[in-house]
Amino acid sequence: MKSALTIAGSDSSGGAGIQADIKTMCANRVFATSAITALTAQNTLGVTGIMDVTPEFLAQELDAVFTDIYPNAVKIGMVSSSKLIEII
């Protein structure tokens, strides 16, 4: 089975971000892994809050995935700071 890594924000409503990426990957028979860049408070009406992870934590997430389940593909979504972009 192929694997893919999604690097993006978490959407509390499940309609976008990490949650939507994982649903799409699974529907296409791809093993989904993830690295979360931010938590969001959102619903279908809008986004009411965003909290970034630290660059150090994102680096730990990426290292954990790449040292065990090396992805065949990487999809990048919401990355809301230049420091997180540098880590990626």
Side-chain angles (χ1 to χ4, degrees):
M1 178 179 271
K2 299 286 185 179
S3 67
L5 168 63
T6 174
I7 304 170
S10 174
D11 171 8
S12 54
S13 70
I18 292 285
Q19 290 83 344
D21 292 345
I22 290 172
K23 290 176 194 177
T24 301
M25 290 173 188
C26 291
N28 288 283
R29 297 186 176 106
V30 173
F31 185 81
T33 60
S34 64
I36 296 175
T37 59
L39 301 176
T40 67
Q42 70 183 78
N43 57 30
T44 61
L45 303 175
V47 178
T48 58
I50 299 171
M51 182 175 68
D52 287 340
V53 301
T54 65
E56 296 79 17
F57 187 74
L58 179 59
Q60 290 176 327
E61 291 182 280
L62 294 171
D63 286 344
V65 172
F66 276 94
T67 59
D68 185 33
I69 309 166
Y70 197 87
N72 299 103
V74 176
K75 188 260 183 193
I76 301 174
M78 175 189 166
V79 183
S80 58
S81 80
S82 60
K83 291 184 183 202
L84 295 176
I85 292 169
E86 288 175 15
I87 295 298
I88 295 168

